[in-house]
Amino acid sequence: MSTNESTRAFPKGFLWGVATASYQIEGAVNEAGRVPSIWDTFSHTPGKVFNGDTGDIACDNYHRYSEDIQQISDLGAHSYRLSLSWPRIMTETGQVNQAGLDHYKRLIDELLERGIDPAVTLYHWDLPQWIEDDGGWLNRDTVGYYTQYVETVFRHLNDTVPKFITQNEPWCASMLGYGLGHHAPGLRDWRKAYRAAHHLLLSHGEAVKLYRAMGGKGQIGITLNLTHVYPGSSSEADVAAARRQDIFLNRWFLDPLTKGSYPSEYFERLRPFVGPLDFIRDEDMESISTEFDFLGVNFYNPAHVVDDPEDNSLTGVKQVSTGRERTAMGWEIEPEGLYDLLKRLQDCTDKPLYITENGAAFEDVVVDGRVADTERIAYLHGHIAALQRFVAEGGNLKGYYVWSLLDNFEWAFGYSKRFGLIYVDFETQQRIRKDSFTWFGQLVAGNGLPAMARSIE
Ligand code: FCB
């Protein structure tokens, strides 16, 4: 191996994986005792999701999971991050739905038989609708419903799952779901958003405690969507604006988890929007900051912001463009943002970090049965190169998951945004491996960036 190659290689045992989430891929929404979720309700409400798309069929993964596991196996990935559908596992009366549990047992056993480690997310936004009808994440009782559900999961899957992720992106679940209304349940009320965020964090802490009490055999952590924030200029006002945005996006979640307190410097700014933070009880902070085993990081792009004195909203900032190339989501591509974010996270926690999602949507087209997604390869290449630098400097990063294995139901964007390494024809359910699939397979095999993409660097 040349020096060049050895410097590109990742440490032995570095985990390469692919990620999905239940509502985005499973379909089969009325099967085997599954009850409705808030995303069924939301996607069936006219005007909420692009083109009126729903997850009713999605990638039909509920029926095709063996075929999709075969793809992961062919890819050579070491781990598969999937989420469990709570509404498949618990009935409205709080009983266990054995058929739902059996589905995941079969799926996990099949992964293990093929030598693929399951990384199981316990909540990726598909709250049972009956719990929403009882107040959803605004109701403190939902923490109890959640622990009842995860207790069932731990009891049945503890021996087979090396990694549990309690919550996926509580920022999105609370701020997009209850504050901005872009996601289910579609409310627009900051007080509700902050209340929901607190209960989501508390549910995480309670799940970690439960896992330890039940003798959890693997590791347990949480996944946050973190956005590195840069000030648009070095002016005092812009630096302060970046700090506010950083609290809004990152620290409101990172601080309670790692320090056991919310950033108090933000309380005054929040007060007119949120009112008294009386939904936070002192004892909650101890629970939320229970020691976790790893921190999952979802990263897509950083943010550049300036102060906006005209803006009376919560943060009073304006996002500015840096003129970089964008993905089909309109997100600017800036891999240095990932490097800077990870550097900063080393100051927040000494626990191992995993990139639990990273990837990009582009306008993929099938030409003669092939999807030549060079832009996606370049995106992944740039971000993995940033990770390589971080790891080479001694950074405590243990794995990386591409979002996503398959094109799927991209929440409010429906099927219009394709993030997969595998193209899905949603009419026929045919799967077509994109060029990025082959590229990522080579990366996994060589435990470092493959030669074919080096020219892009
Ligand atoms: C994240 C979500 C994931 C996917 C990607 C693109 O916010 O966790 O489900 O939709 O964005």
Side-chain angles (χ1 to χ4, degrees):
M1 189 188 271
S2 71
T3 324
N4 194 23
E5 288 201 345
S6 60
T7 52
R8 281 168 187 275
F10 278 76
K12 200 163 171 269
F14 191 87
L15 207 64
W16 297 104
V18 283
T20 63
S22 48
Y23 189 72
Q24 294 181 275
I25 64 164
E26 284 181 351
V29 289
N30 294 316
E31 271 179 63
R34 178 188 183 276
V35 295
S37 80
I38 55 174
W39 269 96
D40 296 280
T41 310
F42 190 75
S43 65
H44 280 271
T45 307
K48 298 294 186 195
V49 174
F50 178 81
N51 197 34
D53 290 343
T54 73
D56 288 1
I57 299 173
C59 308
D60 195 32
N61 171 271
Y62 183 81
H63 298 117
R64 295 169 196 260
Y65 70 89
S66 290
E67 188 192 321
D68 291 336
I69 290 174
Q70 180 67 51
Q71 300 274 14
I72 304 170
S73 171
D74 291 352
L75 180 65
H78 309 136
S79 179
Y80 175 42
R81 175 177 178 232
L82 68 144
S83 81
L84 306 186
S85 162
W86 182 351
R88 282 196 199 283
I89 293 178
M90 301 301 284
T91 67
E92 294 201 26
T93 49
Q95 305 297 307
V96 178
N97 176 30
Q98 196 57 44
L101 209 47
D102 287 347
H103 170 73
Y104 292 113
K105 277 190 177 169
R106 282 193 296 270
L107 197 160
I108 287 168
D109 284 347
E110 212 164 307
L111 286 169
L112 294 171
E113 274 161 29
R114 287 169 186 272
I116 303 162
D117 273 358
V120 169
T121 308
L122 292 159
Y123 184 73
H124 200 126
W125 308 350
D126 41 359
L127 185 74
Q129 180 61 44
W130 65 268
I131 299 182
E132 179 60 29
D133 295 342
D134 197 23
W137 288 109
L138 300 176
N139 182 355
R140 206 178 155 94
D141 290 348
T142 296
V143 178
Y145 292 137
Y146 173 83
T147 46
Q148 192 189 9
Y149 150 65
V150 300
E151 184 182 348
T152 304
V153 173
F154 292 159
R155 194 158 359 102
H156 291 90
L157 302 178
N158 187 7
D159 291 340
T160 54
V161 175
K163 256 186 219 71
F164 280 108
I165 296 169
T166 54
Q167 288 286 349
N168 177 69
E169 304 189 349
W171 183 89
C172 288
S174 55
M175 302 299 158
L176 295 182
Y178 294 81
L180 294 164
H182 301 326
H183 280 185
L187 307 181
R188 292 200 179 129
D189 179 331
W190 288 120
R191 177 159 176 79
K192 292 193 167 122
Y194 278 79
R195 194 181 165 92
H198 181 69
H199 293 149
L200 283 156
L201 284 169
L202 184 58
S203 76
H204 153 82
E206 292 298 301
V208 177
K209 277 164 49 186
L210 189 66
Y211 188 66
R212 306 271 187 247
M214 290 175 72
K217 297 223 174 79
Q219 297 193 318
I220 191 160
I222 185 169
T223 280
L224 302 179
N225 53 305
L226 297 171
T227 308
H228 198 67
V229 184
Y230 300 100
S233 84
S234 55
S235 79
E236 214 176 288
D238 290 348
V239 170
R243 200 174 159 88
R244 290 198 299 278
Q245 187 74 351
D246 180 49
I247 295 177
F248 174 59
L249 294 173
N250 305 315
R251 282 186 50 204
W252 197 261
F253 297 85
L254 274 174
D255 280 18
L257 291 165
T258 59
K259 295 185 191 161
S261 59
Y262 285 104
S264 54
E265 65 183 272
Y266 197 54
F267 289 177
E268 211 177 302
R269 176 112 204 160
L270 275 187
R271 198 167 301 125
F273 300 92
V274 177
L277 300 172
D278 51 6
F279 42 82
I280 303 171
R281 299 186 192 160
D282 286 347
E283 68 269 22
D284 296 350
M285 302 317 292
E286 202 183 314
S287 166
I288 294 173
S289 57
T290 306
E291 194 173 346
F292 52 72
D293 298 315
F294 63 89
L295 178 65
V297 176
N298 292 355
F299 179 87
Y300 291 91
N301 58 335
H304 294 258
V305 301
V306 293
D307 182 41
D308 186 359
E310 316 261 282
D311 178 28
N312 305 321
S313 74
L314 200 63
T315 51
V317 307
K318 193 163 69 194
Q319 191 125 348
V320 289
S321 165
T322 63
R324 288 181 170 79
E325 278 176 44
R326 293 170 187 264
T327 69
M329 297 295 282
W331 300 340
E332 287 187 0
I333 304 170
E334 191 179 349
E336 305 75 35
L338 176 56
Y339 173 83
D340 289 341
L341 172 72
L342 293 178
K343 281 293 202 193
R344 177 258 181 106
L345 287 177
Q346 299 268 269
D347 298 332
C348 303
T349 177
D350 55 5
K351 296 293 175 193
L353 305 171
Y354 286 85
I355 304 300
T356 40
E357 287 180 25
N358 175 240
F362 289 104
E363 308 291 342
D364 296 321
V365 280
V366 186
V367 179
D368 296 333
R370 176 171 171 200
V371 181
D373 57 337
T374 46
E375 292 166 302
R376 182 172 292 101
I377 293 173
Y379 178 98
L380 295 173
H381 181 103
H383 287 79
I384 293 169
L387 298 181
Q388 187 135 348
R389 186 175 154 211
F390 176 71
V391 170
E393 290 168 5
N396 194 9
L397 180 79
K398 300 288 184 211
Y400 173 91
Y401 293 80
V402 178
W403 183 270
S404 177
L405 172 68
L406 302 163
D407 291 341
N408 59 48
F409 176 79
E410 180 44 40
W411 308 115
F413 296 90
Y415 297 101
S416 69
K417 304 293 179 212
R418 295 178 175 273
F419 276 88
L421 295 179
I422 296 174
Y423 183 96
V424 178
D425 178 333
F426 292 103
E427 296 293 314
T428 63
Q429 290 299 336
Q430 193 198 351
R431 272 82 164 134
I432 300 171
R433 295 175 183 180
K434 301 180 191 175
D435 284 3
S436 56
F437 180 99
T438 312
W439 178 86
F440 191 67
Q442 288 174 357
L443 179 146
V444 174
N447 196 29
L449 289 164
M452 64 180 272
R454 285 184 186 170
S455 56
I456 299 167
E457 217 178 20

